[in-house]
Amino acid sequence: MHTRRTLRRTRTGLALLTAALLTAACSASGASTSATSASEATLAALPRATPSALSPYYGQKLSWRDCGVPGFQCATMKAPLDYAEPSEGEVRLAVARKKATGPGKRLGSLLVNPGGPGGSAVGYLQQYAGIGYPEEVRARYDMVAVDPRGVARSEPVECLDGPKMDAYTRTDTTPDDQRETEQLVDAYQDFAEGCGADAPELLRHVSTVESARDMDLLRAVLGDEKLTYVGASYGTFLGATYAGLFPDRVGRLVLDGAMDPSLPARQLNLEQTAGFETAFQSFAKDCVRRSGCPLGGSGTTPRRAGDTLKAFFGKLDTRPIRTGDDRVLTESLATTGVIAAMYDEGAWPQLREALTAAMKKGDGTGLLALSDSYYERDPDGNYSNLMSANAAVNCLDLPAAFSSPDEARAAVPDFEKASPVFGEGLAWASLNCAYWPVQPSGEPHRIAAAGASPIVVVGTTRDPATPYRWAESLAAQLSSGRLLTYDGDGHTAYGRGSSCIDSAINTYLLRGAAPADGKRCS
């Protein structure tokens, strides 16, 4: 359960989510938007005919081999590094599948992506989707995943080694003076320089548009006329981008925990900050009703509980506490640990225990474990490339939220209004792309995907990472969007216990019957 949720959630902290978007003129991908105004720009479809220069890629044959995971096969797919210059180099992308088990007629391939950006789709397939999706879905579809370029097994971007990542994740993101501000800027610059040194060419070609084009390559190579896809969190933006570029090739698309591509980075980060506050208030209401809640007793308001937690963070800012190993729990690590538990209400008991140990016993082991799971740090101090890929995609796809510390500092009051608990830290976290070594190639835009088959957009009313309003907006932008609402907590809705949601999505995937627009479930 927790492994699946870790893989599916959108990321924040020092690599706060920003939407990956497209440029108004021509990008390196060769796609364009149809208007110059960011607020009015709309993603334009690519020509239906495949350019002759891409024929070798579309005509390639995959050589499937054993993955070392029972029931799964793996292969390597080639894609052009730069779709505008296909002859100038290529990237090798990791693909995995689990063939349809039957009974029933095979419906084709079902591609899945867990989000991030930076989450391993292959890992998600092998650890959850290929074994945990409804049996009737797995019976009719080959379950397939491709790690996007720069992610996990697909030529991963690596910015910092384990010890340097440890230092990076504990960097103070609530600077109190000029010295601490300079330390934070130094951390962002070191991280960016590490990424630039590791993959100077690839770093220019890890955009969401390019990954969406890679998905069309995979669709063709697998022999599917149209794409069937389930994307969660950032995976919704990837799927919506595919629909915008290739509307005539849209099969059955489920976009769960939707992002809004029309928002600039600052607004995205501000609204996500408010989403975490909404989730925290739900957690606080639940916590104070239970005996021993470290945030207060029965009758304590969520705002008072938040004040208590914020005061605890403030103490850690000056005096970190011990953990079960040689590391200490800092304010930034504790904040990340709390945010990690906001993605899934199933983690609330673990968070209560961790906060109780930290606040009452001075033991930060539990909160550090939550933070480590969020950053995908293993017990030996090794990190996955999640945070590196997250920044690489985000900082390429959208202009930075802030260009200087002064801009971040000036925005703190707005972020604190959105979340008294998390606002200050998340405002400063939005500065990370200001120092990126590659200029962004994207801008905010709308996605209409005119002519596409019905696309199911799923929103959760108290989703912390992708606020419900984003699902409403994306469903309205898509010409064939169908909004499916889950009235509940946590990030994403499919496979989280709502028989109403699951039935609607399964019916769509198996029979092609999309739910009525506006359908609500609890």
Side-chain angles (χ1 to χ4, degrees), residues 13-14 16 173-175 184 188 310 331 335 412 415-416 421-430:
L14 288 176
L16 182 69
T173 55
T174 58
L184 179 59
Y188 288 149
K310 183 67 174 176
E331 178 189 20
T335 302
V412 166
F415 278 72
E416 288 187 318
V421 178
F422 307 116
E424 181 183 8
L426 295 185
W428 283 102
S430 303

Side-chain angles (χ1 to χ4, degrees), residues 80 93 118 131 255 294 314 332 346 373 385 394 398 421 443 474 492 502:
L93 307 177
I131 56 177
L255 309 179
S332 57
S373 73
N385 92 308
N394 286 339
L398 198 66
V421 178
E443 66 161 9
L474 180 60
T492 73
D502 292 353

Side-chain angles (χ1 to χ4, degrees), residues 29-64:
S29 65
S32 68
T33 51
S34 60
T36 57
S37 170
S39 61
E40 299 176 358
T42 300
L43 180 63
L46 290 169
R48 292 192 179 192
T50 300
S52 58
L54 295 179
S55 295
Y57 291 103
Y58 272 85
Q60 67 186 294
K61 303 295 183 183
L62 297 184
S63 178
W64 294 101

